[in-house]
Amino acid sequence: MCEQRDVGLGVEPFSTGVIPLGKICALLSLAAIWGISVPVTKLGLLSMPPLTLTALRFGIAVPVLAFLIMNMPPLPWKAVAPLALLGVVGIGIGQIAQSLGVARTPASIGTILSATIPVFVVVFATIRLKQSITRTQILGIAVAFGGIAVVATGGPSTETAATLAGPLLVLASALAIAFYYVWSVELTHQYGSLAVAAWSTFFGFAALLPWAIWEASFTPFQLTLPAIGAATFLGLFVTVAGLLLWLNILREIPARVASSVQFLQPVFGIATSTFIFQDQIGSQFVMGVILILTGLALTVHSRRQAA
């Protein structure tokens, strides 16, 4: 799942209201990349433990990000502490919770629960950025959480039923990532999106690495081709390419428009998990998905009007 994105910082250079075809294709590609990240993580977890897979993922992404910022000005000392905290929460806690949650949750449930990040962004933006929250947003949040309860208690039937711990960990991941998005706004204005993404990823990886080494020291695992492929996809495509694609989109598309890609992610994710893991989609799961997407629509629609 889920990666560093510049939420709410997009400029609005176009005035015609017509999105170029190239940007539409980029948005669809981004939805596909982010949408299938949970099923791909689930695939990697078949032969590797969660923390080890996550460390391998960011071990691939960090050198690439380091290369991208090698010619940028050095990071000021006053930025180290806030970026370290941001990385530990968003990359460390967020990605660890996601991997642990996906390991205990069917991929379809993990995908739709990960799509609730915009709901938590609205909540955190109200707290941190002092943005007003409308009645429509409150209603959307309530509807979305109702859908979460429905999905978590009645997901697709698989050989291993989802436990309550799995969905809760995925939601904790969504909370941590939403925290990352909102609390990175000020830092992004000061130091740039790429620098914030690269350094916070480095600090998060540094916090994760000791735990991954500890896990790998007593947990037998196999470095299989699917696991290596999953870590490579998550590191290069979801983390690095997803970030660069998002920043490129924001050069011409307002963030409030580009963020609508979040609604397509469950489509790609659920379709992929159904194909790979043969998840059987039940009526209760479909009802929960409808509630969650309705809640997302209400919160994002209200935010767009305010913007």
Side-chain angles (χ1 to χ4, degrees), residues 9-256:
L9 300 179
V11 295
E12 301 187 25
F14 72 100
S15 58
T16 62
V18 178
I19 301 177
L21 179 60
K23 296 304 175 183
I24 294 177
C25 293
L27 283 170
L28 292 175
S29 300
L30 195 58
I33 291 172
W34 283 341
I36 67 177
S37 62
V38 171
V40 170
T41 300
K42 188 78 172 181
L43 185 63
L45 291 172
L46 295 178
S47 59
M48 293 190 70
L51 303 186
T52 306
L53 177 66
T54 306
L56 180 59
R57 164 190 178 174
F58 285 100
I60 294 172
V62 165
V64 178
L65 290 171
F67 174 78
L68 294 176
I69 65 169
M70 62 184 303
N71 293 324
M72 295 181 65
L75 187 70
W77 281 108
K78 64 179 182 179
V80 172
L83 282 176
L85 175 62
L86 200 66
V88 169
V89 174
I91 307 301
I93 297 176
Q95 299 304 323
I96 289 175
Q98 184 187 67
S99 297
L100 292 173
V102 170
R104 294 165 172 80
T105 308
S108 296
I109 294 181
T111 298
I112 190 63
L113 293 181
S114 295
T116 60
I117 292 173
V119 174
F120 297 121
V121 166
V122 171
V123 175
F124 283 139
T126 303
I127 298 173
R128 174 65 177 176
L129 305 178
K130 308 301 182 183
Q131 294 181 0
S132 60
I133 186 169
T134 66
R135 294 180 180 178
T136 303
Q137 287 177 318
I138 295 174
L139 176 62
I141 292 171
V143 171
F145 275 104
I148 290 171
V150 173
V151 167
T153 57
S157 57
T158 55
E159 293 181 2
T160 304
T163 63
L164 185 59
L168 287 177
L169 283 168
V170 177
L171 286 176
S173 171
L175 275 168
I177 294 171
F179 175 94
Y180 177 95
Y181 293 163
V182 174
W183 263 258
S184 67
V185 170
E186 297 174 44
L187 294 173
T188 302
H189 278 301
Q190 295 177 28
Y191 308 112
S193 300
L194 185 56
V196 170
W199 281 106
S200 61
T201 300
F202 170 77
F203 288 123
F205 176 64
L208 162 67
L209 192 58
W211 296 100
I213 295 174
W214 170 76
E215 178 191 63
S217 65
F218 70 86
T219 305
F221 66 91
Q222 293 182 328
L223 197 60
T224 62
L225 187 60
I228 295 175
T232 302
F233 176 83
L234 293 171
L236 294 182
F237 288 91
V238 178
T239 301
V240 178
L243 166 68
L244 296 178
L245 192 59
W246 178 253
L247 294 177
N248 182 60
I249 290 171
L250 288 184
R251 292 176 182 174
E252 298 183 28
I253 306 297
R256 68 176 188 272

